[in-house]
Short mmCIF file of all heavy atoms in Angstrom, two decimals:
data_model
loop_
_atom_site.label_atom_id
_atom_site.label_comp_id
_atom_site.label_asym_id
_atom_site.label_seq_id
_atom_site.Cartn_x
_atom_site.Cartn_y
_atom_site.Cartn_z
N MET A 470 -1.41 10.99 14.90
CA MET A 470 -1.17 9.70 14.25
C MET A 470 -2.31 9.33 13.27
O MET A 470 -3.43 9.66 13.56
CB MET A 470 -1.05 8.54 15.26
CG MET A 470 0.12 8.73 16.26
SD MET A 470 1.74 8.47 15.51
CE MET A 470 1.79 6.70 15.47
N SER A 471 -1.90 8.70 12.17
CA SER A 471 -2.94 8.30 11.19
C SER A 471 -2.63 6.87 10.76
O SER A 471 -1.48 6.39 10.98
CB SER A 471 -2.87 9.19 9.97
OG SER A 471 -3.23 10.54 10.31
N GLU A 472 -3.65 6.26 10.14
CA GLU A 472 -3.41 4.89 9.63
C GLU A 472 -2.88 4.90 8.28
O GLU A 472 -3.32 5.61 7.44
CB GLU A 472 -4.74 4.17 9.68
CG GLU A 472 -5.20 3.71 11.05
CD GLU A 472 -6.37 2.69 10.97
OE1 GLU A 472 -7.07 2.70 9.92
OE2 GLU A 472 -6.44 1.89 11.91
N PHE A 473 -1.91 4.00 8.00
CA PHE A 473 -1.33 3.85 6.70
C PHE A 473 -1.27 2.33 6.34
O PHE A 473 -1.28 1.49 7.22
CB PHE A 473 0.12 4.41 6.65
CG PHE A 473 0.14 5.90 6.84
CD1 PHE A 473 0.36 6.40 8.09
CD2 PHE A 473 -0.11 6.76 5.84
CE1 PHE A 473 0.41 7.79 8.33
CE2 PHE A 473 -0.04 8.17 6.03
CZ PHE A 473 0.14 8.62 7.28
N PRO A 474 -1.31 2.04 5.01
CA PRO A 474 -1.31 0.65 4.62
C PRO A 474 -0.04 -0.10 4.98
O PRO A 474 1.04 0.48 4.91
CB PRO A 474 -1.56 0.68 3.10
CG PRO A 474 -1.31 2.10 2.69
CD PRO A 474 -1.39 2.97 3.86
N SER A 475 -0.22 -1.38 5.33
CA SER A 475 0.90 -2.27 5.61
C SER A 475 0.64 -3.54 4.86
O SER A 475 -0.46 -4.14 4.94
CB SER A 475 1.01 -2.50 7.09
OG SER A 475 2.02 -3.42 7.42
N VAL A 476 1.61 -4.08 4.07
CA VAL A 476 1.40 -5.21 3.20
C VAL A 476 2.05 -6.49 3.87
O VAL A 476 3.23 -6.43 4.28
CB VAL A 476 2.03 -4.99 1.81
CG1 VAL A 476 1.80 -6.23 0.96
CG2 VAL A 476 1.45 -3.75 1.20
N ASP A 477 1.30 -7.56 3.94
CA ASP A 477 1.80 -8.84 4.35
C ASP A 477 2.43 -9.50 3.11
O ASP A 477 1.75 -9.92 2.20
CB ASP A 477 0.67 -9.70 4.91
CG ASP A 477 1.16 -11.10 5.28
OD1 ASP A 477 2.31 -11.41 5.04
OD2 ASP A 477 0.31 -11.86 5.80
N HIS A 478 3.75 -9.52 3.03
CA HIS A 478 4.43 -10.02 1.84
C HIS A 478 4.29 -11.57 1.70
O HIS A 478 4.55 -12.09 0.64
CB HIS A 478 5.91 -9.63 1.88
CG HIS A 478 6.11 -8.20 1.44
ND1 HIS A 478 7.31 -7.57 1.47
CD2 HIS A 478 5.20 -7.26 1.06
CE1 HIS A 478 7.14 -6.30 1.07
NE2 HIS A 478 5.87 -6.08 0.79
N ASP A 479 3.93 -12.25 2.70
CA ASP A 479 3.62 -13.72 2.57
C ASP A 479 2.32 -13.95 1.79
O ASP A 479 2.12 -15.01 1.23
CB ASP A 479 3.54 -14.39 3.92
CG ASP A 479 4.89 -14.47 4.59
OD1 ASP A 479 5.91 -14.44 3.93
OD2 ASP A 479 4.93 -14.53 5.86
N THR A 480 1.47 -12.97 1.84
CA THR A 480 0.13 -13.10 1.24
C THR A 480 0.05 -12.37 -0.13
O THR A 480 -0.69 -12.79 -1.03
CB THR A 480 -0.92 -12.49 2.17
OG1 THR A 480 -0.81 -13.13 3.40
CG2 THR A 480 -2.36 -12.78 1.61
N CYS A 481 0.80 -11.27 -0.31
CA CYS A 481 0.77 -10.49 -1.52
C CYS A 481 1.12 -11.36 -2.73
O CYS A 481 2.10 -12.09 -2.73
CB CYS A 481 1.78 -9.31 -1.42
SG CYS A 481 1.93 -8.37 -2.93
N VAL A 482 0.31 -11.21 -3.80
CA VAL A 482 0.61 -11.98 -5.04
C VAL A 482 1.13 -11.11 -6.17
O VAL A 482 1.30 -11.52 -7.27
CB VAL A 482 -0.71 -12.72 -5.53
CG1 VAL A 482 -1.17 -13.76 -4.47
CG2 VAL A 482 -1.81 -11.76 -5.82
N GLY A 483 1.42 -9.85 -5.85
CA GLY A 483 2.09 -8.98 -6.81
C GLY A 483 1.24 -8.51 -7.97
O GLY A 483 1.76 -8.19 -9.05
N CYS A 484 -0.05 -8.50 -7.82
CA CYS A 484 -0.95 -8.14 -8.92
C CYS A 484 -0.95 -6.67 -9.31
O CYS A 484 -1.45 -6.25 -10.32
CB CYS A 484 -2.35 -8.56 -8.58
SG CYS A 484 -3.09 -7.67 -7.24
N GLN A 485 -0.43 -5.85 -8.39
CA GLN A 485 -0.34 -4.35 -8.61
C GLN A 485 -1.71 -3.65 -8.56
O GLN A 485 -1.78 -2.45 -8.92
CB GLN A 485 0.43 -4.02 -9.87
CG GLN A 485 1.84 -4.64 -9.87
CD GLN A 485 2.75 -4.04 -10.87
OE1 GLN A 485 2.40 -3.11 -11.64
NE2 GLN A 485 4.01 -4.56 -10.96
N THR A 486 -2.75 -4.34 -8.18
CA THR A 486 -4.05 -3.70 -8.09
C THR A 486 -4.02 -2.52 -7.11
O THR A 486 -4.70 -1.53 -7.31
CB THR A 486 -5.16 -4.71 -7.65
OG1 THR A 486 -5.18 -5.78 -8.63
CG2 THR A 486 -6.49 -4.11 -7.48
N CYS A 487 -3.28 -2.66 -6.02
CA CYS A 487 -3.20 -1.61 -4.96
C CYS A 487 -2.71 -0.26 -5.65
O CYS A 487 -3.36 0.75 -5.49
CB CYS A 487 -2.33 -2.00 -3.85
SG CYS A 487 -0.73 -2.76 -4.39
N MET A 488 -1.63 -0.38 -6.39
CA MET A 488 -1.07 0.86 -7.02
C MET A 488 -2.03 1.36 -8.09
O MET A 488 -2.22 2.58 -8.19
CB MET A 488 0.24 0.49 -7.68
CG MET A 488 0.90 1.74 -8.35
SD MET A 488 2.52 1.36 -9.12
CE MET A 488 2.01 0.37 -10.50
N ASN A 489 -2.66 0.46 -8.84
CA ASN A 489 -3.60 0.94 -9.89
C ASN A 489 -4.85 1.50 -9.39
O ASN A 489 -5.53 2.30 -10.04
CB ASN A 489 -3.87 -0.28 -10.83
CG ASN A 489 -2.65 -0.72 -11.60
OD1 ASN A 489 -1.72 0.12 -11.90
ND2 ASN A 489 -2.53 -1.99 -11.91
N THR A 490 -5.23 1.14 -8.17
CA THR A 490 -6.46 1.59 -7.54
C THR A 490 -6.23 2.91 -6.72
O THR A 490 -7.09 3.79 -6.62
CB THR A 490 -7.07 0.57 -6.61
OG1 THR A 490 -7.27 -0.59 -7.37
CG2 THR A 490 -8.41 1.02 -6.07
N CYS A 491 -5.03 3.08 -6.21
CA CYS A 491 -4.72 4.20 -5.37
C CYS A 491 -4.77 5.48 -6.17
O CYS A 491 -4.17 5.55 -7.23
CB CYS A 491 -3.26 4.00 -4.80
SG CYS A 491 -2.71 5.42 -3.80
N PRO A 492 -5.45 6.51 -5.62
CA PRO A 492 -5.52 7.77 -6.37
C PRO A 492 -4.18 8.45 -6.53
O PRO A 492 -3.99 9.28 -7.42
CB PRO A 492 -6.46 8.63 -5.54
CG PRO A 492 -6.45 8.00 -4.18
CD PRO A 492 -6.22 6.56 -4.41
N LYS A 493 -3.18 8.04 -5.76
CA LYS A 493 -1.84 8.58 -5.94
C LYS A 493 -0.88 7.67 -6.65
O LYS A 493 0.30 7.99 -6.87
CB LYS A 493 -1.29 8.93 -4.56
CG LYS A 493 -2.10 9.96 -3.77
CD LYS A 493 -2.32 11.23 -4.57
CE LYS A 493 -3.18 12.24 -3.83
NZ LYS A 493 -2.49 13.07 -2.90
N GLY A 494 -1.32 6.45 -6.97
CA GLY A 494 -0.58 5.54 -7.87
C GLY A 494 0.85 5.32 -7.42
O GLY A 494 1.10 4.99 -6.26
N ASP A 495 1.84 5.50 -8.36
CA ASP A 495 3.17 5.16 -8.00
C ASP A 495 3.84 6.23 -7.14
O ASP A 495 5.08 6.08 -6.79
CB ASP A 495 3.99 4.88 -9.27
CG ASP A 495 4.17 6.08 -10.19
OD1 ASP A 495 3.64 7.15 -9.83
OD2 ASP A 495 4.70 5.89 -11.28
N ALA A 496 3.17 7.27 -6.77
CA ALA A 496 3.68 8.15 -5.74
C ALA A 496 3.76 7.50 -4.39
O ALA A 496 4.60 7.81 -3.51
CB ALA A 496 2.88 9.40 -5.63
N LEU A 497 2.84 6.48 -4.21
CA LEU A 497 2.77 5.78 -2.93
C LEU A 497 3.15 4.33 -2.98
O LEU A 497 3.34 3.71 -1.91
CB LEU A 497 1.40 5.94 -2.33
CG LEU A 497 1.12 7.28 -1.69
CD1 LEU A 497 -0.35 7.39 -1.30
CD2 LEU A 497 1.96 7.49 -0.45
N TRP A 498 3.27 3.75 -4.15
CA TRP A 498 3.50 2.28 -4.25
C TRP A 498 4.64 2.01 -5.19
O TRP A 498 4.85 2.61 -6.16
CB TRP A 498 2.18 1.63 -4.77
CG TRP A 498 1.10 1.69 -3.82
CD1 TRP A 498 0.08 2.58 -3.78
CD2 TRP A 498 0.85 0.84 -2.68
NE1 TRP A 498 -0.74 2.42 -2.74
CE2 TRP A 498 -0.25 1.29 -2.03
CE3 TRP A 498 1.57 -0.26 -2.19
CZ2 TRP A 498 -0.79 0.70 -0.87
CZ3 TRP A 498 1.08 -0.87 -1.05
CH2 TRP A 498 -0.10 -0.39 -0.42
N GLU A 499 5.41 0.94 -4.73
CA GLU A 499 6.44 0.38 -5.57
C GLU A 499 6.47 -1.12 -5.31
O GLU A 499 5.72 -1.63 -4.48
CB GLU A 499 7.82 1.02 -5.22
CG GLU A 499 8.27 0.83 -3.83
CD GLU A 499 9.53 1.61 -3.49
OE1 GLU A 499 10.18 2.14 -4.47
OE2 GLU A 499 9.84 1.75 -2.29
N PHE A 500 7.32 -1.83 -6.05
CA PHE A 500 7.34 -3.29 -5.92
C PHE A 500 8.78 -3.74 -5.79
O PHE A 500 9.70 -3.26 -6.48
CB PHE A 500 6.67 -3.92 -7.16
CG PHE A 500 5.15 -3.53 -7.18
CD1 PHE A 500 4.79 -2.38 -7.80
CD2 PHE A 500 4.26 -4.36 -6.56
CE1 PHE A 500 3.43 -2.00 -7.75
CE2 PHE A 500 2.97 -3.94 -6.46
CZ PHE A 500 2.54 -2.79 -7.07
N ASN A 501 9.00 -4.65 -4.86
CA ASN A 501 10.36 -5.04 -4.55
C ASN A 501 10.85 -6.09 -5.54
O ASN A 501 10.16 -6.45 -6.50
CB ASN A 501 10.47 -5.52 -3.10
CG ASN A 501 9.73 -6.81 -2.78
OD1 ASN A 501 9.31 -7.51 -3.73
ND2 ASN A 501 9.52 -7.11 -1.55
N ASP A 502 12.05 -6.64 -5.32
CA ASP A 502 12.67 -7.59 -6.25
C ASP A 502 11.82 -8.84 -6.49
O ASP A 502 11.93 -9.52 -7.48
CB ASP A 502 14.08 -7.90 -5.81
CG ASP A 502 15.05 -6.73 -5.93
OD1 ASP A 502 14.71 -5.80 -6.62
OD2 ASP A 502 16.14 -6.83 -5.31
N GLU A 503 11.02 -9.13 -5.45
CA GLU A 503 10.14 -10.34 -5.53
C GLU A 503 8.74 -10.02 -6.09
O GLU A 503 7.90 -10.86 -6.11
CB GLU A 503 10.04 -10.97 -4.14
CG GLU A 503 11.34 -11.55 -3.63
CD GLU A 503 11.18 -12.16 -2.20
OE1 GLU A 503 10.34 -11.71 -1.44
OE2 GLU A 503 11.94 -13.11 -1.99
N GLY A 504 8.60 -8.74 -6.47
CA GLY A 504 7.29 -8.32 -7.03
C GLY A 504 6.24 -8.00 -5.97
O GLY A 504 5.07 -7.85 -6.33
N LYS A 505 6.63 -7.96 -4.74
CA LYS A 505 5.68 -7.66 -3.68
C LYS A 505 5.47 -6.16 -3.48
O LYS A 505 6.41 -5.39 -3.64
CB LYS A 505 6.19 -8.25 -2.29
CG LYS A 505 6.62 -9.73 -2.45
CD LYS A 505 5.38 -10.65 -2.59
CE LYS A 505 5.88 -12.10 -2.47
NZ LYS A 505 4.70 -13.03 -2.55
N ALA A 506 4.25 -5.78 -3.16
CA ALA A 506 3.93 -4.38 -3.00
C ALA A 506 4.57 -3.79 -1.75
O ALA A 506 4.63 -4.37 -0.73
CB ALA A 506 2.42 -4.20 -2.94
N VAL A 507 5.10 -2.56 -1.94
CA VAL A 507 5.75 -1.78 -0.86
C VAL A 507 5.07 -0.41 -0.84
O VAL A 507 5.14 0.32 -1.83
CB VAL A 507 7.23 -1.72 -1.05
CG1 VAL A 507 7.85 -0.87 0.08
CG2 VAL A 507 7.86 -3.06 -1.11
N PHE A 508 4.52 -0.08 0.29
CA PHE A 508 4.00 1.29 0.46
C PHE A 508 5.18 2.22 0.77
O PHE A 508 5.99 1.95 1.64
CB PHE A 508 3.02 1.30 1.65
CG PHE A 508 2.48 2.65 2.00
CD1 PHE A 508 1.56 3.29 1.12
CD2 PHE A 508 2.86 3.31 3.14
CE1 PHE A 508 1.07 4.56 1.45
CE2 PHE A 508 2.37 4.56 3.46
CZ PHE A 508 1.44 5.20 2.60
N LYS A 509 5.24 3.27 0.01
CA LYS A 509 6.36 4.26 0.16
C LYS A 509 6.12 5.14 1.41
O LYS A 509 5.56 6.20 1.29
CB LYS A 509 6.51 5.13 -1.08
CG LYS A 509 6.91 4.38 -2.34
CD LYS A 509 7.04 5.31 -3.51
CE LYS A 509 7.47 4.65 -4.78
NZ LYS A 509 7.60 5.61 -5.90
N ILE A 510 6.57 4.62 2.54
CA ILE A 510 6.33 5.34 3.78
C ILE A 510 6.95 6.73 3.79
O ILE A 510 6.46 7.65 4.43
CB ILE A 510 6.81 4.47 4.99
CG1 ILE A 510 6.21 5.03 6.29
CG2 ILE A 510 8.32 4.38 5.02
CD1 ILE A 510 4.74 4.86 6.45
N ASP A 511 8.02 6.89 3.00
CA ASP A 511 8.68 8.25 2.96
C ASP A 511 7.71 9.27 2.31
O ASP A 511 7.89 10.48 2.54
CB ASP A 511 9.95 8.19 2.12
CG ASP A 511 11.07 7.46 2.94
OD1 ASP A 511 10.91 7.16 4.10
OD2 ASP A 511 12.12 7.19 2.30
N ASN A 512 6.77 8.79 1.55
CA ASN A 512 5.77 9.71 0.86
C ASN A 512 4.41 9.63 1.57
O ASN A 512 3.44 10.04 0.97
CB ASN A 512 5.64 9.30 -0.58
CG ASN A 512 6.82 9.55 -1.41
OD1 ASN A 512 7.83 10.14 -0.95
ND2 ASN A 512 6.85 9.07 -2.64
N LYS A 513 4.33 9.18 2.81
CA LYS A 513 3.06 8.90 3.46
C LYS A 513 2.13 10.16 3.50
O LYS A 513 0.92 9.98 3.56
CB LYS A 513 3.29 8.35 4.85
CG LYS A 513 3.90 9.32 5.81
CD LYS A 513 4.04 8.64 7.20
CE LYS A 513 4.58 9.62 8.19
NZ LYS A 513 4.79 8.99 9.51
N ASP A 514 2.73 11.30 3.46
CA ASP A 514 1.85 12.53 3.51
C ASP A 514 0.93 12.64 2.28
O ASP A 514 -0.04 13.39 2.30
CB ASP A 514 2.73 13.77 3.67
CG ASP A 514 3.37 13.88 5.09
OD1 ASP A 514 2.92 13.14 5.98
OD2 ASP A 514 4.32 14.71 5.25
N GLU A 515 1.29 11.88 1.22
CA GLU A 515 0.44 11.92 -0.01
C GLU A 515 -0.83 11.08 0.19
O GLU A 515 -1.79 11.29 -0.47
CB GLU A 515 1.24 11.30 -1.17
CG GLU A 515 2.43 12.05 -1.59
CD GLU A 515 2.10 13.14 -2.65
OE1 GLU A 515 1.14 12.92 -3.30
OE2 GLU A 515 2.92 14.06 -2.78
N CYS A 516 -0.86 10.17 1.18
CA CYS A 516 -1.97 9.24 1.38
C CYS A 516 -3.19 10.03 1.89
O CYS A 516 -3.09 10.79 2.81
CB CYS A 516 -1.53 8.19 2.39
SG CYS A 516 -2.84 6.96 2.71
N VAL A 517 -4.34 9.70 1.26
CA VAL A 517 -5.60 10.41 1.66
C VAL A 517 -6.44 9.45 2.48
O VAL A 517 -7.66 9.75 2.75
CB VAL A 517 -6.33 10.90 0.42
CG1 VAL A 517 -5.51 11.96 -0.28
CG2 VAL A 517 -6.75 9.80 -0.51
N HIS A 518 -5.90 8.34 2.91
CA HIS A 518 -6.59 7.35 3.80
C HIS A 518 -7.93 6.88 3.31
O HIS A 518 -8.88 6.72 4.06
CB HIS A 518 -6.75 8.01 5.18
CG HIS A 518 -5.44 8.67 5.68
ND1 HIS A 518 -4.37 7.96 6.06
CD2 HIS A 518 -5.09 9.97 5.84
CE1 HIS A 518 -3.37 8.77 6.43
NE2 HIS A 518 -3.82 9.99 6.29
N CYS A 519 -8.02 6.66 1.99
CA CYS A 519 -9.27 6.22 1.38
C CYS A 519 -9.52 4.75 1.53
O CYS A 519 -10.65 4.30 1.33
CB CYS A 519 -9.29 6.64 -0.08
SG CYS A 519 -8.04 5.79 -1.08
N HIS A 520 -8.49 3.97 1.81
CA HIS A 520 -8.57 2.51 1.98
C HIS A 520 -8.83 1.80 0.68
O HIS A 520 -9.15 0.59 0.68
CB HIS A 520 -9.55 2.08 3.05
CG HIS A 520 -9.08 2.38 4.44
ND1 HIS A 520 -9.39 1.53 5.52
CD2 HIS A 520 -8.39 3.35 4.96
CE1 HIS A 520 -8.88 2.07 6.65
NE2 HIS A 520 -8.24 3.17 6.32
N ALA A 521 -8.77 2.50 -0.44
CA ALA A 521 -9.04 1.84 -1.77
C ALA A 521 -8.04 0.70 -2.00
O ALA A 521 -8.45 -0.34 -2.56
CB ALA A 521 -8.95 2.84 -2.88
N CYS A 522 -6.81 0.84 -1.61
CA CYS A 522 -5.79 -0.16 -1.84
C CYS A 522 -6.19 -1.42 -1.06
O CYS A 522 -6.22 -2.54 -1.64
CB CYS A 522 -4.44 0.36 -1.32
SG CYS A 522 -4.40 1.00 0.35
N GLY A 523 -6.57 -1.29 0.13
CA GLY A 523 -6.91 -2.50 0.96
C GLY A 523 -8.25 -3.10 0.49
O GLY A 523 -8.35 -4.32 0.42
N ASP A 524 -9.16 -2.28 0.12
CA ASP A 524 -10.50 -2.78 -0.35
C ASP A 524 -10.36 -3.52 -1.62
O ASP A 524 -11.14 -4.43 -1.87
CB ASP A 524 -11.50 -1.59 -0.49
CG ASP A 524 -11.91 -1.04 0.86
OD1 ASP A 524 -11.66 -1.64 1.91
OD2 ASP A 524 -12.45 0.09 0.82
N SER A 525 -9.39 -3.14 -2.44
CA SER A 525 -9.28 -3.78 -3.79
C SER A 525 -8.34 -4.91 -3.84
O SER A 525 -8.34 -5.66 -4.85
CB SER A 525 -8.78 -2.67 -4.81
OG SER A 525 -7.42 -2.29 -4.46
N CYS A 526 -7.53 -5.15 -2.81
CA CYS A 526 -6.54 -6.19 -2.84
C CYS A 526 -7.23 -7.60 -2.86
O CYS A 526 -7.93 -7.94 -1.90
CB CYS A 526 -5.67 -6.14 -1.66
SG CYS A 526 -4.46 -7.46 -1.53
N PRO A 527 -7.04 -8.39 -3.91
CA PRO A 527 -7.73 -9.68 -4.03
C PRO A 527 -7.21 -10.72 -3.00
O PRO A 527 -7.86 -11.69 -2.76
CB PRO A 527 -7.42 -10.12 -5.46
CG PRO A 527 -6.12 -9.44 -5.80
CD PRO A 527 -6.21 -8.14 -5.09
N ALA A 528 -6.07 -10.45 -2.45
CA ALA A 528 -5.49 -11.42 -1.49
C ALA A 528 -5.66 -10.97 -0.02
O ALA A 528 -5.19 -11.63 0.88
CB ALA A 528 -3.97 -11.55 -1.75
N SER A 529 -6.35 -9.82 0.18
CA SER A 529 -6.50 -9.30 1.50
C SER A 529 -5.16 -9.20 2.23
O SER A 529 -5.04 -9.47 3.42
CB SER A 529 -7.49 -10.13 2.29
OG SER A 529 -8.77 -10.17 1.69
N ALA A 530 -4.16 -8.72 1.47
CA ALA A 530 -2.81 -8.61 2.07
C ALA A 530 -2.53 -7.30 2.72
O ALA A 530 -1.44 -7.16 3.37
CB ALA A 530 -1.78 -8.86 0.93
N ILE A 531 -3.45 -6.32 2.58
CA ILE A 531 -3.18 -5.00 3.13
C ILE A 531 -4.02 -4.75 4.35
O ILE A 531 -5.21 -4.90 4.36
CB ILE A 531 -3.49 -3.91 2.06
CG1 ILE A 531 -2.63 -4.14 0.82
CG2 ILE A 531 -3.33 -2.51 2.67
CD1 ILE A 531 -2.92 -3.14 -0.33
N SER A 532 -3.38 -4.36 5.46
CA SER A 532 -4.04 -3.90 6.63
C SER A 532 -3.61 -2.50 6.91
O SER A 532 -2.72 -1.97 6.23
CB SER A 532 -3.66 -4.84 7.82
OG SER A 532 -2.28 -4.89 7.98
N PHE A 533 -4.24 -1.89 7.84
CA PHE A 533 -3.92 -0.49 8.16
C PHE A 533 -3.40 -0.36 9.56
O PHE A 533 -4.00 -0.85 10.48
CB PHE A 533 -5.15 0.41 7.90
CG PHE A 533 -5.49 0.49 6.45
CD1 PHE A 533 -6.28 -0.49 5.83
CD2 PHE A 533 -5.00 1.50 5.62
CE1 PHE A 533 -6.50 -0.40 4.44
CE2 PHE A 533 -5.22 1.57 4.28
CZ PHE A 533 -6.00 0.58 3.71
N LYS A 534 -2.31 0.39 9.70
CA LYS A 534 -1.70 0.50 11.03
C LYS A 534 -1.31 1.95 11.29
O LYS A 534 -1.01 2.67 10.34
CB LYS A 534 -0.40 -0.36 11.07
CG LYS A 534 -0.67 -1.86 11.01
CD LYS A 534 0.58 -2.67 11.02
CE LYS A 534 0.26 -4.16 10.93
NZ LYS A 534 1.50 -5.00 10.82
N GLU A 535 -1.34 2.27 12.52
CA GLU A 535 -0.89 3.64 12.91
C GLU A 535 0.58 3.70 12.65
O GLU A 535 1.35 2.82 12.98
CB GLU A 535 -1.14 3.84 14.40
CG GLU A 535 -2.65 3.90 14.75
CD GLU A 535 -3.31 5.23 14.44
OE1 GLU A 535 -2.59 6.21 14.25
OE2 GLU A 535 -4.53 5.25 14.24
N GLN A 536 0.99 4.78 12.06
CA GLN A 536 2.42 5.00 11.74
C GLN A 536 2.86 6.37 12.21
O GLN A 536 2.12 7.27 12.11
CB GLN A 536 2.75 4.86 10.25
CG GLN A 536 2.24 3.56 9.70
CD GLN A 536 3.30 2.65 9.29
OE1 GLN A 536 4.49 2.85 9.65
NE2 GLN A 536 3.06 1.63 8.54
S1 SF4 B 836 -3.32 -5.59 -4.52
FE1 SF4 B 836 -2.66 -6.91 -2.77
S2 SF4 B 836 -1.89 -8.81 -3.76
FE2 SF4 B 836 -1.96 -7.18 -5.33
S3 SF4 B 836 0.11 -6.25 -5.31
FE3 SF4 B 836 -1.16 -5.04 -3.96
S4 SF4 B 836 -0.86 -5.92 -1.87
FE4 SF4 B 836 -0.15 -7.42 -3.39
S1 SF4 B 837 -5.34 4.55 1.59
FE1 SF4 B 837 -5.91 5.45 -0.46
S2 SF4 B 837 -4.36 7.05 -0.85
FE2 SF4 B 837 -3.56 5.77 0.85
S3 SF4 B 837 -2.24 4.31 -0.22
FE3 SF4 B 837 -4.28 3.34 0.03
S4 SF4 B 837 -5.37 3.83 -1.92
FE4 SF4 B 837 -3.60 5.17 -1.76
#
């Protein structure tokens, strides 16, 4: 098991910093109809667990959970 990002959509402001900071960019991130960040769990093997997404999020909306 490894840790992957999980976004609190009540807190996410849709700034897209997570995707822009992630070394894998849009391979791992997309945005839903409300502009909230969604981690592409289907592509989770691409994640290098660097935590850059969570560290860069201005709203502290990203936590890491075992998946
Ligand atoms: S960086 Fe944080 S607030 Fe911005 S889109 Fe990503 S999860 Fe949402
Ligand atoms: S932990 Fe790193 S590789 Fe994984 S989604 Fe976040 S920024 Fe991208």
Side-chain angles (χ1 to χ4, degrees):
M470 298 288 281
S471 297
E472 285 194 333
F473 295 95
S475 174
V476 180
D477 177 357
H478 282 176
D479 290 335
T480 307
C481 174
V482 298
C484 65
Q485 302 195 2
T486 300
C487 47
M488 180 179 72
N489 292 330
T490 305
C491 176
K493 300 305 178 83
D495 64 4
L497 281 173
W498 293 96
E499 61 188 346
F500 296 87
N501 68 15
D502 291 345
E503 296 180 328
K505 308 290 187 176
V507 177
F508 176 71
K509 295 181 179 179
I510 194 68
D511 288 350
N512 291 353
K513 67 180 183 181
D514 289 346
E515 296 269 339
C516 180
V517 297
H518 312 291
C519 63
H520 288 215
C522 52
D524 290 345
S525 66
C526 175
S529 299
I531 299 176
S532 56
F533 291 85
K534 295 179 179 173
E535 294 283 339
Q536 304 249 14

